[in-house]
Amino acid sequence: NSLIRISSAASGPFSDAMPGEYETGYSAVDGKDVVNNGNYGVTYNLSVVINNESGSKKRISVYDNPSGGSGHYVVEWAGLILQSPYVNYTKAWNIADFRVNKHGKTIASNFSLTGGAAGPQTIYFTNSNF
């Protein structure tokens, strides 16, 4: 089981940003350097390596928990546009399930952030037996 936080605060005590996740941009309004702290409009290209040392097939489930908001969300995952049921900060949304053989695999996907969530998107990877 594992997790990754996407779009946490860019800096400060609540930052859990990945290396290179935030780039400084240019404000057309006042000419200053700015950071898109919410990373709105950003698509993440993820490549997740899953090792399976159990010797048997595993089902991997992927969940998204959009912190800081509640409602119905839309994400892109593996080229599909998905819409959530009602989700709030206490719930996670199962966005994908796939099988991993005993040697593991690498999963590559594009992931777009849900709109309306003020906090990070926490992506959980869980496993279970087939």
Side-chain angles (χ1 to χ4, degrees):
N1 296 324
S2 186
L3 65 87
I4 185 171
R5 287 184 184 88
I6 299 175
S7 190
S8 72
S11 60
F14 301 107
S15 178
D16 192 12
M18 296 178 282
E21 182 174 6
Y22 292 94
E23 297 180 4
T24 302
Y26 175 79
S27 171
V29 175
D30 57 17
K32 296 180 182 178
D33 288 341
V34 294
V35 172
N36 181 2
N37 200 39
N39 261 0
Y40 298 111
V42 172
T43 298
Y44 289 81
N45 297 309
L46 302 178
S47 182
V48 179
V49 177
I50 299 173
N51 295 318
N52 182 4
E53 299 172 359
S54 71
S56 62
K57 295 176 184 175
K58 294 286 186 177
R59 178 190 321 269
I60 305 298
S61 297
V62 183
Y63 294 88
D64 179 19
N65 174 246
S67 304
S70 59
H72 297 275
Y73 296 101
V74 175
V75 298
E76 174 194 0
W77 180 267
L80 301 173
I81 303 298
L82 307 172
Q83 184 176 356
S84 78
Y86 180 82
V87 178
N88 64 26
Y89 72 95
T90 66
K91 298 178 181 177
W93 164 32
N94 180 220
I95 60 175
D97 294 294
F98 51 87
R99 180 180 6 191
V100 175
N101 293 326
K102 63 182 180 179
H103 300 294
K105 70 190 307 182
T106 299
I107 302 297
S109 187
N110 292 326
F111 181 78
S112 59
L113 298 176
T114 63
Q121 310 285 311
T122 305
I123 309 299
Y124 296 93
F125 297 87
T126 65
N127 74 87
S128 59
N129 292 325
F130 251 93

